[in-house]
Amino acid sequence: MMEMDKAWCIHFDHYDPADEGRREALLALGNGCLASRAAAPESREDKIHYPGTYRVGCYNELITQIQGQDVKNESIVNLPNWLPFSFRMERSDWFSLDDVTILDYEQTLHMQQGLLTRKVRFSDEQGRQTLVQERRFVSMAQPNLMALSIALTPLNWSGKLELQSNLDGRVINNKVTRYAPFNKVHLEILNTGEWGENGIELLARTNQSSVTVALAARTNLWIAEQEHKAQRVVNHEDDHVSDYRRISLREGEEVRLEKIAALYTSLDIPEDACARTAQETLLKASDFDTLFTAHKDAWQNLWQRSYIEVDAADQLCYFRLHIFHILQNFSPHTAKMDVGVPPSGWQGEEYHGQVFWDELFVFPFLTFHFPDSARALLQYRYRRLDTARKLAKENGYRGAMFPWRSASDGEEETPPFQLNPISGEWMEDRTCLQRHVGAAVAYNIWYYAKVTGDQQFLADCGAELILEIARFWASISKHNPALNRYEIHGVVGPDEYQTMYPEANSPGVSNNTYTNVMAAWTLCQARRLFEQLNPQRQQELMDKLALSSEEFEHWDEVSRRMRIVFREDGTISQFEGFDQLKEFDLQKFREKHGHQRLDWALDAMGDSVEKYRISKQADTAVLLYLFTPAELVNQFERLGYSLNEDILKRTITNHLSQTAHESSLSRFIYAGALASLSTDQSWSFYKEAQQIDMSPEDKGASEGIHLGAMGGTLAVLLHRYLGIKVKSDYLVITPSLPEALSPVRISLNFRGAEYVCEISRTAEPLVKVAERVNAGHINLNLSK
Ligand code: BGC
């Protein structure tokens, strides 16, 4: 087993059935093409375990009757399980962790190598002690390969041992209890079989999207380092296939089994080539250790591009964990695919693997380290631009209206109902009115263009995307002649609790500050980015989109006269009417009812969260997470409102007192928003946000990790604590580092050149920059 360097490892020293689900997600492995939960190979789905194998972007849509309506549900598909392996001694059952006495247990994720290890020493009811040592990886070098190695040693017995290695198609999407009423059988199994001396295979197809999935495995055995050609018996069933072998072992003798699996889908290659290619890949593939060397090297390359060092080992470990998960979900392999950012990564079934606005938070890390992956995320949106245009039209708007939740084709996937797990009743879901998702796409286009200087992307698709999003904002903004201001009605801001006014007839709220400011900002930036194009491309786009100078003038006017609602004390309101809602005593509620989600808890009591002045998550504060106070003051000035730091501080304090932080996106956003207003408060939110998914109390993590929060903490580090900003063609670094982080050494990719910066908190912040690869003349202007 490998040495453990604490800042590179996530380690568990005991088995805890109650925490197994979270560990399966936290320690899941992926390569940006495939993802595999860290389930025990000997387990099948039950109350403790949930093996899950996923192919990035492999969705299937099913219809379920809910409340008399046909509700469609497009979901990432849990594919046939490649992992199953178990063994049994004479006169005993197949090994299961839950049935033996565990004497030692260690499970470790080695992030540097992308390796998961498990070591179990157990005793069965006859007192036979056995050591199980397991290693596995999902190859970063060969995106369709996964590998498992298991060594078994009888410690105080000799005798016969039966081994079974399976491919299991008896899987459904069953991880998330509150999705239980949705149809969840997404696969039909077409065939199971065997090939060569050591191969088994299984062919499946998703039952609506018709994606062919070919899974094959090669199983080899070694006893005392000699390959053992034990006679095997293959058992084919309709939906699974098993390879059985019998061997005899002497006390202290080790048998090692290697299972190498290949998974291809018709999303990768033609349908009729999937099964053949899976077999051929395995016939060519070398042994576990050789494959592992290539995998490790691929990870080393990724880590070099994502270099970060801080002295505190716990901090370093969090940074690495968050980077690790981002890279497992968006590796350079993903950059060649057509996928978005599912908030819980590809290793879970939370939110059905659908795409929301969480790309906004993952984007800065990717842009500064893997710009190709960032561009691919924008291209995913560009390919769905026509659908977004169609959605705008259907809703009576112009331009492009991106859906709140989407999956394969860019259609709106937000279900009209959500199951209240407390009452067991269905609740109406109006969160699809979060039109601000389009602003996240616009912001990312602007950010990408700024950091990379990629004019080609802007000309090819970035400008068209942002222009169409701007056009949508102009068309949803209605002029209020009484105030001579533009207003946006019938939307939902980031706070998903406030989706309708109490007693109102129609859903949504009016003049959500975050939405309105982002709309005005997009209208302004779209024009600026357009002006960066050469005149010929400008004319082409004007013609293609039928844009006129009058339309630009109208955008300019809307972007200057958007309405912002203020409270009587001069601070900014979350939306019009928010402050007239009933006061809510969160502390008292918690004391009485514990930590229940308020929308569900209140609904179960026959009440409704919308009546109260309480937010699920940071809303207006997102503005201060994205922009510095000075930038926001400028934007308000353009809108004709005067703002200053004091108003911003009081606004955030007020909003904080009304925020329940029931989204994983809330704390790091407040950490960013408070970074220059109240450093201690910021750091305290930051520390909490960093620990996302790290505690057994984080029960939700079992359904998938929280990528938005992981990316968000890295973004706060970059933008706020390190103070990295792009100014035309140079970087400005204005650090205000919390003491616990100083010094930070970090690599950055700026305009094609790789830099390593060392930033320390000293009386005069100290910044040292070295260029790693000389790729052009970059003028680095280090302020302070
Ligand atoms: C939040 C959304 C977020 C989604 C996925 C929800 O709980 O309210 O803002 O996009 O989770 O992370």
Side-chain angles (χ1 to χ4, degrees):
M1 286 271 152
M2 306 198 45
E3 285 287 303
M4 201 174 67
D5 171 345
K6 280 198 175 143
W8 276 114
C9 294
I10 305 292
H11 179 71
F12 294 99
D13 60 6
H14 67 284
Y15 173 58
D16 176 2
D19 195 31
E20 185 66 3
R22 179 185 71 98
R23 296 179 188 181
E24 286 177 353
L26 185 70
L27 310 182
L29 296 174
N31 59 13
C33 174
L34 302 176
S36 171
R37 285 172 69 89
E42 68 279 359
S43 69
R44 283 194 60 196
E45 187 211 322
D46 58 21
K47 287 202 165 66
I48 300 171
H49 309 277
Y50 190 83
T53 309
Y54 307 92
R55 194 279 185 191
V56 164
C58 180
Y59 291 105
N60 192 61
E61 184 171 290
L62 296 175
I63 308 280
T64 308
Q65 271 263 321
I66 297 174
Q67 306 282 81
Q69 275 189 41
D70 276 349
V71 175
K72 65 172 182 149
N73 168 35
E74 191 172 23
S75 183
I76 182 79
V77 179
N78 183 14
L79 299 179
N81 185 9
W82 72 281
L83 267 179
F85 167 75
S86 194
F87 57 91
R88 66 176 165 195
M89 284 93 90
E90 288 168 291
R91 304 179 310 283
S92 74
D93 277 339
W94 292 102
F95 168 67
S96 156
L97 260 190
D98 304 297
D99 299 338
V100 295
T101 307
I102 298 174
L103 305 171
D104 290 313
Y105 183 92
E106 283 176 30
Q107 190 183 26
T108 311
L109 174 67
H110 305 262
M111 294 183 278
Q112 190 168 22
Q113 296 86 9
L115 180 76
L116 180 65
T117 59
R118 187 179 69 151
K119 187 171 166 184
V120 185
R121 189 167 65 90
F122 71 89
S123 165
D124 68 6
E125 54 198 6
Q126 294 169 48
R128 287 175 294 195
Q129 285 189 21
T130 308
L131 178 67
V132 183
Q133 298 184 86
E134 180 198 317
R135 296 180 294 156
R136 74 171 91 159
F137 64 90
V138 173
S139 176
M140 196 50 93
Q142 273 182 271
N144 300 85
L145 274 191
M146 302 174 277
L148 173 71
S149 157
I150 295 195
L152 304 174
T153 314
L155 296 176
N156 63 354
W157 58 273
S158 302
K160 293 206 171 81
L161 194 63
E162 199 178 342
L163 311 168
Q164 67 161 304
S165 159
N166 302 346
L167 297 177
D168 191 358
R170 294 166 291 179
V171 291
I172 56 173
N173 275 41
N174 208 20
K175 180 62 200 153
V176 184
T177 320
R178 64 185 186 284
Y179 302 157
F182 286 104
N183 282 331
K184 42 200 172 182
V185 182
H186 290 277
L187 281 176
E188 54 178 313
I189 308 301
L190 304 176
N191 189 28
T192 60
E194 61 188 286
W195 52 273
E197 273 176 42
N198 297 316
I200 49 177
E201 65 185 354
L202 184 149
L203 193 68
R205 189 165 48 211
T206 58
N207 55 18
Q208 174 273 334
S209 52
S210 296
V211 178
T212 299
V213 181
L215 178 62
R218 191 192 77 196
T219 308
N220 299 72
L221 287 186
W222 283 264
I223 297 183
E225 295 310 314
Q226 287 291 314
E227 179 147 17
H228 186 83
K229 305 266 180 199
Q231 191 76 40
R232 71 169 181 167
V233 175
V234 177
N235 189 8
H236 309 238
E237 302 286 340
D238 287 347
D239 48 12
H240 65 284
V241 50
S242 318
D243 168 330
Y244 293 96
R245 311 198 186 188
R246 272 175 216 275
I247 56 167
S248 294
L249 278 187
R250 284 190 304 270
E251 184 177 325
E253 194 173 46
E254 179 186 274
V255 56
R256 194 163 56 79
L257 169 138
E258 279 186 14
K259 181 176 188 181
I260 314 291
L263 193 155
Y264 282 86
T265 73
S266 52
L267 297 169
D268 312 303
I269 53 174
E271 185 186 321
D272 56 1
C274 291
R276 192 183 65 240
T277 312
Q279 265 191 37
E280 283 171 4
T281 306
L282 291 176
L283 284 168
K284 280 190 226 141
S286 39
D287 59 3
F288 183 97
D289 286 331
T290 314
L291 293 171
F292 179 57
T293 303
H295 163 75
K296 223 167 42 179
D297 290 349
W299 262 110
Q300 195 186 352
N301 185 274
L302 298 186
W303 281 118
Q304 201 179 346
R305 292 172 67 183
S306 326
Y307 168 74
I308 183 161
E309 286 286 345
V310 288
D311 291 344
D314 56 341
Q315 290 296 330
L316 187 54
C317 188
Y318 294 140
F319 287 134
R320 285 178 174 158
L321 178 68
H322 298 174
I323 294 171
F324 182 72
H325 275 302
I326 291 176
L327 291 179
Q328 295 209 108
N329 283 287
F330 310 101
S331 74
H333 302 301
T334 332
K336 294 173 212 131
M337 298 176 184
D338 180 32
V339 294
V341 177
S344 300
W346 298 110
Q347 67 266 58
E349 291 168 20
E350 178 155 54
Y351 304 121
H352 310 285
Q354 293 168 357
V355 175
F356 298 56
W357 69 320
D358 302 59
E359 66 215 60
L360 181 61
F361 310 111
V362 174
F363 208 76
F365 170 80
L366 285 178
T367 314
F368 266 116
H369 295 89
F370 297 88
D372 291 351
S373 301
R375 189 178 55 232
L377 291 179
L378 293 174
Q379 281 161 337
Y380 165 83
R381 292 295 190 177
Y382 183 70
R383 290 188 200 99
R384 286 150 188 83
L385 178 57
D386 276 342
T387 313
R389 286 181 173 123
K390 188 200 76 173
L391 291 175
K393 201 161 170 198
E394 283 170 3
N395 284 270
Y397 304 119
R398 300 186 66 222
M401 186 181 93
F402 279 94
W404 172 236
R405 290 169 68 158
S406 57
S408 65
D409 56 7
E411 292 285 353
E412 177 61 79
E413 298 298 335
T414 311
F417 303 103
Q418 55 164 313
L419 186 66
N420 181 338
I422 300 176
S423 66
E425 303 284 329
W426 290 99
M427 287 168 66
E428 236 182 278
D429 189 330
R430 297 179 283 266
T431 55
C432 66
L433 292 172
Q434 287 180 79
R435 306 297 181 218
H436 66 82
V437 59
V441 179
Y443 184 91
N444 282 352
I445 295 167
W446 168 84
Y447 189 91
Y448 174 80
K450 230 168 128 82
V451 175
T452 64
D454 184 348
Q455 287 298 315
Q456 193 60 48
F457 165 78
L458 211 53
D460 292 347
C461 44
E464 185 177 348
L465 252 180
I466 197 168
L467 287 167
E468 286 288 60
I469 296 170
R471 180 175 258 173
F472 164 74
W473 286 125
S475 82
I476 196 177
S477 307
K478 300 288 170 247
H479 188 241
N480 175 345
L483 300 172
N484 188 20
R485 283 273 174 192
Y486 285 84
E487 303 191 324
I488 299 180
H489 300 280
V491 296
V492 170
D495 169 14
E496 296 198 327
Y497 281 171
Q498 301 299 334
T499 62
M500 190 168 175
Y501 291 107
E503 323 293 340
N505 296 323
S506 55
V509 299
S510 292
N511 294 315
N512 168 261
T513 297
Y514 174 71
T515 307
N516 286 18
V517 171
M518 291 309 288
W521 179 88
T522 306
L523 286 163
C524 184
Q525 295 305 330
R527 176 80 184 265
R528 288 190 188 157
L529 289 180
F530 173 79
E531 280 163 2
Q532 287 180 22
L533 302 177
N534 66 43
Q536 189 194 337
R537 185 63 187 142
Q538 287 187 6
Q539 193 54 53
E540 279 167 13
L541 278 177
M542 298 275 286
D543 296 344
K544 179 172 179 190
L545 308 180
L547 268 171
S548 62
S549 48
E550 291 76 37
E551 189 166 355
F552 277 137
E553 273 159 36
H554 176 60
W555 292 7
D556 188 60
E557 157 155 324
V558 180
S559 78
R560 290 175 191 279
R561 300 233 34 96
M562 186 65 81
R563 177 164 173 216
I564 304 298
V565 179
F566 289 84
R567 290 154 37 99
E568 272 175 14
D569 65 2
T571 60
I572 306 165
S573 186
Q574 184 173 308
F575 57 83
E576 188 176 355
F578 182 70
D579 300 288
Q580 280 76 58
L581 298 175
K582 281 200 213 160
E583 192 171 340
F584 187 81
D585 191 335
L586 183 60
Q587 200 182 335
K588 204 157 143 206
F589 185 90
R590 294 271 188 249
E591 277 160 18
K592 208 160 160 200
H593 304 285
H595 267 268
Q596 304 194 12
R597 229 179 86 164
L598 295 178
D599 53 345
W600 295 337
L602 288 167
D603 178 77
M605 293 170 193
D607 203 344
S608 157
V609 76
E610 280 117 14
K611 287 189 198 153
Y612 300 100
R613 212 157 58 231
I614 184 80
S615 310
K616 177 181 176 188
Q617 63 198 97
D619 190 300
T620 310
V622 187
L623 292 173
L624 271 167
Y625 162 85
L626 294 177
F627 306 108
T628 60
E631 287 167 338
L632 213 53
V633 167
N634 283 342
Q635 286 185 48
F636 272 62
E637 201 178 306
R638 190 169 193 277
L639 289 169
Y641 295 111
S642 106
L643 195 63
N644 56 41
E645 253 194 37
D646 174 59
I647 299 180
L648 285 173
K649 235 186 219 171
R650 287 191 293 121
T651 299
I652 294 294
T653 307
N654 174 264
H655 287 218
L656 254 180
S657 69
Q658 298 159 171
T659 304
H661 302 296
E662 277 169 359
S663 157
S664 61
L665 304 183
S666 201
R667 289 190 170 79
F668 74 84
I669 290 177
Y670 271 111
L674 287 161
S676 57
L677 300 176
S678 164
T679 35
D680 288 351
Q681 256 185 310
S682 164
W683 179 238
S684 125
F685 276 117
Y686 193 78
K687 278 191 300 187
E688 283 183 62
Q690 273 190 314
Q691 287 167 39
I692 187 87
D693 302 331
M694 289 304 284
S695 153
E697 299 311 310
D698 294 333
K699 297 286 177 217
S702 161
E703 295 161 0
I705 47 124
H706 293 89
L707 268 185
M710 294 184 171
T713 51
L714 293 167
V716 171
L717 175 76
L718 276 178
H719 299 151
R720 294 289 180 263
Y721 296 156
L722 298 180
I724 293 174
K725 279 238 159 257
V726 179
K727 287 264 155 81
S728 56
D729 62 352
Y730 56 90
L731 280 181
V732 179
I733 303 182
T734 321
S736 63
L737 263 184
E739 210 162 330
L741 285 183
S742 174
V744 175
R745 288 171 291 275
I746 190 167
S747 67
L748 294 174
N749 184 316
F750 179 59
R751 308 274 162 104
E754 293 259 343
Y755 298 92
V756 177
C757 312
E758 180 176 317
I759 301 171
S760 321
R761 180 190 155 113
T762 45
E764 271 303 293
L766 187 69
V767 182
K768 289 190 217 153
V769 180
E771 196 174 334
R772 263 192 183 174
V773 181
N774 192 346
H777 300 284
I778 307 293
N779 172 15
L780 269 172
N781 182 354
L782 308 175
S783 88
K784 287 207 190 168

